[in-house]
Amino acid sequence: MSDFKQLRIERPIDDGQALTDDDIYWGPLSSSHPTTLREYGPVTTIDIAPTRQQWISITDSTRVQIYSPDTLSLVRSFYSFKDTAYCGTFRSDGRLVCAGSKDGIVRVFDFETRTQLRHFKEHQGSPVHCTHFSRDKTYIFTGSDDRTVRVLDLATEKQLSKFDHVHTDYVRALTPGSATNPHLLLSGSYDRTMKLIDRRMSNNDNILMNFDHGDQIESVLMYANETLAITAGGLHLKVWDLLGGGRLLASLSNHHKSILCTGFTSEQNYILSGGLDRHVKIYDASTFRVVHTITYPDAVLSLAMIGPNDRALCVGMPGGLWSVKRRDGSQQISNSSSTIGITNGYESMKIDSNSDMMCTSNSLVPIDDESTNDTKSTASSGSRKTKSRRRFFPSGIVTPTAMDPVASANRRPRLAPYDNYLRKFRASAALDAAFTSALKRRQPDIVLALFKELSRRQMLKQALAGRDDLSLLKILRYLQKHIAHTTYMPVLIEVAHIISYLYDFSSSPSDKNNKAMEKLQRTIHDELQFQLELMKTKGAIEIILAASSASTLLETNSTTNHNCHNNNNTVISAM
């Protein structure tokens, strides 16, 4: 026997809320189910390698980990940090990775061999929150809580420049210049300012521009063509014109809590921002307007977009979770022998084949054991309900591996109450259940979808007949509220016609149903008057347009005749 086809709820679109190109572009990414993995600490930085593989760098706790963008399997791990690691970023060729730490040491790793190639101790004692390679691959720009910005040389493992007069508070944001100007960098600080620095100039003249953001700066960005710069901090995201002398182009305040991170899409057509309000806002880079919003279960500490065509969005959160939303909606899980991430919504579990146990955060796995008597209880009505209980797997008893077969439970989806009644052809009970669900979920579209289905089955009259005063009152009030809506109108007119045929409302004028029917009649009359006025206005506009086009045609003909007459006179005079 085939499964019952559930009722499809189509949410109508208001006339003023038509889908735009941005909604169509970002809709699949926003509605896709996220693949979520758990780390050991807050995910403070996510960086994407600017190479063909586009490895994902995750900085959390005392390590920097590299994941595959396709399978989300762990590719590399760098554990040489003695304290909290910050800002693990790739070089432009993807061969080196640099990161700062809470102890002030900046480390450089070889991606292939995972060996530590360099370590710089110039910031020792002060946390280094910002580390970036220069675009020419030869330097590292760093920003620290010691209020300095430094330039470190990869070849000699020495400090080339130290800018200790640039900021008066913690430096928490850096971004290097483009490949054409690798000596430029932008730095943002908690002193509420962003500075454009040229490392080649003398210590007193290296600040080219000064920008006052007005709040503590958490993130800075610069366009690839070096025309615009972006600062983010507090409730504001501001756009600055670098070519125009640093003037303020736009000040955006679309978050209701502090903004913590920003980023670009792959083609820099959109700007992304995430904050403590658990939202990722997407701005059009040409108009600086919010075109889409994605909500997450926790604050957004870091974000990055995977190209090409913005195929996936990675977001890091303070609880140790980081999620990947894919445009095609697929969820590809790691298959490697080292780590397998299993996700269910935002709950995640890890299986480590090198250890001897399968664990979640509490080493407890919830299971439903229907074969055990103590998991069943008998209700007063005699129905048997299964309870979920937890079972602890101590070390050494269960050792799952990647090769273990997984039995899939082909369970039928749980039907809504109105679907159950529809399956049993109980039209009236299905309508009552739909009203209950619509009121509970605040979705009147459920009732509309059921009316459509009953009309298709030719069971609408059966569902509306024989109703008591209370259930009939619910239907009348629903009609009175939604019958003027353009999407609801074709279906609800048929419902109103059947109700007026089945029931007599002239018996008791003081009845609530009679008053509801009178309101419904007034609503229909007002809508008809409104439509009549619209038709009159439309006719008047058409007459004006027709007269205007006719007068334009007459003027064109008269001008043509006049020109022809002048030409004839000219010819005659010439003869």
Side-chain angles (χ1 to χ4, degrees):
M1 182 178 178
S2 61
D3 292 337
F4 175 77
K5 187 176 181 180
Q6 301 182 42
L7 186 66
R8 183 179 179 183
I9 310 299
E10 296 180 357
R11 187 173 183 179
I13 302 174
D14 292 339
D15 297 337
Q17 298 179 352
L19 291 177
T20 63
D21 293 338
D22 295 317
D23 294 329
I24 296 173
Y25 183 77
W26 293 105
L29 186 67
S30 176
S31 60
S32 66
H33 191 73
T35 301
T36 310
L37 291 87
R38 183 181 293 278
E39 303 297 340
Y40 291 96
V43 181
T44 55
T45 305
I46 299 179
D47 188 47
I48 308 299
T51 58
R52 183 177 61 84
Q53 291 82 2
Q54 293 193 316
W55 306 114
I56 306 173
S57 169
I58 303 295
T59 306
D60 71 285
S61 186
T62 58
R63 59 187 183 172
V64 176
Q65 300 196 107
I66 313 299
Y67 287 87
S68 169
D70 298 322
T71 63
L72 296 185
S73 58
L74 185 61
V75 179
R76 298 283 189 276
S77 293
F78 304 105
Y79 293 97
S80 301
F81 302 92
K82 297 181 180 179
D83 211 328
T84 305
Y86 299 113
C87 198
T89 54
F90 288 97
R91 199 168 69 171
S92 58
D93 57 3
R95 299 177 60 183
L96 298 182
V97 178
C98 70
S101 61
K102 192 174 182 180
D103 56 11
I105 300 178
V106 179
R107 294 173 172 84
V108 180
F109 302 93
D110 184 271
F111 177 78
E112 295 296 334
T113 62
R114 293 184 290 183
T115 58
Q116 179 176 312
L117 301 179
R118 297 286 187 270
H119 67 284
F120 301 90
K121 299 182 178 180
E122 281 72 15
H123 290 288
Q124 193 165 9
S126 298
V128 180
H129 285 267
C130 312
T131 57
H132 290 278
F133 286 99
S134 63
R135 301 301 182 186
D136 58 0
K137 311 175 189 177
T138 57
Y139 311 108
I140 298 178
F141 301 123
T142 62
S144 171
D145 286 357
D146 60 5
R147 307 174 186 178
T148 64
V149 177
R150 303 175 191 248
V151 182
L152 309 175
D153 187 15
L154 277 173
T156 61
E157 201 173 356
K158 293 181 180 180
Q159 174 179 295
L160 294 180
S161 303
K162 175 184 177 182
F163 309 118
D164 53 2
H165 67 289
V166 175
H167 294 289
T168 59
D169 208 335
Y170 298 159
V171 180
R172 292 297 178 89
L174 279 179
T175 186
S178 65
T180 57
N181 291 314
H183 304 288
L184 296 181
L185 71 148
L186 285 173
S187 64
S189 170
Y190 277 5
D191 62 3
R192 305 183 178 186
T193 63
M194 179 181 69
K195 306 293 178 68
L196 178 62
I197 303 173
D198 188 344
R199 75 162 196 87
R200 299 168 296 181
M201 302 181 69
S202 63
N203 198 34
N204 296 326
D205 301 329
N206 49 27
I207 301 178
L208 303 181
M209 291 185 184
N210 187 8
F211 309 86
D212 185 8
H213 179 76
D215 211 327
Q216 295 179 347
I217 296 178
E218 298 284 352
S219 178
V220 296
L221 292 175
M222 182 162 53
Y223 279 74
N225 54 9
E226 297 179 347
T227 57
L228 301 178
I230 297 171
T231 58
L235 301 179
H236 297 276
L237 186 144
K238 296 186 178 181
V239 184
W240 308 88
D241 186 3
L242 297 180
L243 296 182
R247 65 188 180 93
L248 180 63
L249 288 182
S251 179
L252 313 175
S253 180
N254 300 98
H255 290 267
H256 58 271
K257 289 186 179 180
S258 296
I259 303 173
L260 300 180
C261 56
T262 55
F264 284 120
T265 55
S266 56
E267 300 295 333
Q268 295 191 348
N269 296 327
Y270 297 92
I271 306 168
L272 310 177
S273 67
L276 289 174
D277 57 358
R278 303 181 298 132
H279 291 159
V280 171
K281 302 286 184 180
I282 303 174
Y283 306 84
D284 189 334
S286 58
T287 62
F288 306 117
R289 294 183 179 179
V290 176
V291 298
H292 206 78
T293 301
I294 304 176
T295 304
Y296 286 87
D298 204 348
V300 178
L301 291 184
S302 55
L303 57 84
M305 183 67 71
I306 302 177
N309 301 324
D310 307 325
R311 61 190 177 100
L313 174 63
C314 303
V315 167
M317 288 165 273
L321 294 178
W322 67 281
S323 74
V324 179
K325 280 179 171 286
R326 301 183 186 275
R327 184 171 297 279
D328 57 1
S330 62
Q331 300 183 47
Q332 297 176 338
I333 307 301
S334 169
N335 240 355
S336 67
S337 59
S338 59
T339 304
I340 299 177
I342 301 176
T343 64
N344 181 11
Y346 283 100
E347 298 296 331
S348 63
M349 178 174 66
K350 282 195 170 184
I351 304 175
D352 192 352
S353 61
N354 297 325
S355 65
D356 294 331
M357 64 182 297
M358 176 175 64
C359 62
T360 58
S361 57
N362 297 325
S363 296
L364 293 172
V365 181
I367 61 171
D368 291 333
D369 191 356
E370 298 183 357
S371 61
T372 310
N373 292 331
D374 59 359
T375 62
K376 298 180 179 180
S377 63
T378 304
S380 58
S381 61
S383 61
R384 307 175 71 183
K385 298 182 179 179
T386 303
K387 292 184 178 179
S388 174
R389 77 182 169 89
R390 293 180 174 181
R391 178 175 296 172
F392 177 71
F393 292 94
S395 177
I397 293 181
V398 176
T399 308
T401 64
M403 302 303 294
D404 289 343
V406 179
S408 60
N410 296 324
R411 298 179 180 177
R412 293 182 178 179
R414 185 176 179 180
L415 298 178
Y418 47 83
D419 281 324
N420 276 321
Y421 288 122
L422 277 179
R423 186 171 60 87
K424 300 175 183 178
F425 299 96
R426 297 176 58 183
S428 181
L431 186 57
D432 292 335
F435 270 100
T436 303
S437 299
L439 183 62
K440 183 178 180 180
R441 303 180 191 177
R442 297 181 180 179
Q443 295 179 354
D445 316 323
I446 298 176
V447 178
L448 177 66
L450 186 62
F451 277 142
K452 289 182 179 180
E453 180 65 18
L454 293 175
S455 177
R456 187 186 68 82
R457 296 188 180 192
Q458 298 182 357
M459 298 173 62
L460 191 55
K461 186 175 181 180
Q462 175 186 346
L464 296 174
R467 294 195 158 269
D468 56 6
D469 292 341
L470 183 59
S471 61
L472 183 60
L473 182 61
K474 291 181 180 180
I475 298 175
L476 291 175
R477 288 178 175 175
Y478 181 87
L479 294 175
Q480 191 269 331
K481 184 176 182 181
H482 298 286
I483 198 170
H485 195 288
T486 54
T487 306
Y488 290 73
M489 187 181 297
V491 180
L492 297 190
I493 286 177
E494 181 184 1
V495 176
H497 178 72
I498 295 176
I499 288 179
S500 63
Y501 174 77
L502 292 176
Y503 298 94
D504 182 13
F505 296 95
S506 61
S507 57
S508 54
S510 61
D511 189 25
K512 292 182 179 180
N513 291 338
N514 295 342
K515 294 181 180 179
M517 190 63 183
E518 292 176 359
K519 289 183 179 180
L520 176 60
Q521 291 175 350
R522 287 197 297 268
T523 302
I524 296 175
H525 179 267
D526 294 342
E527 182 65 22
L528 291 175
Q529 289 296 118
F530 178 69
Q531 295 290 340
L532 181 61
E533 293 296 328
L534 284 180
M535 295 301 294
K536 290 180 180 179
T537 306
K538 179 182 178 182
I541 293 175
E542 289 178 351
I543 292 174
I544 294 173
L545 293 177
S548 176
S549 60
S551 61
T552 304
L553 181 61
L554 290 176
E555 291 178 0
T556 304
N557 293 334
S558 62
T559 304
T560 303
N561 294 333
H562 181 70
N563 292 335
C564 293
H565 181 70
N566 291 337
N567 292 335
N568 293 332
N569 292 335
T570 303
V571 171
I572 292 172
S573 61
M575 292 176 62

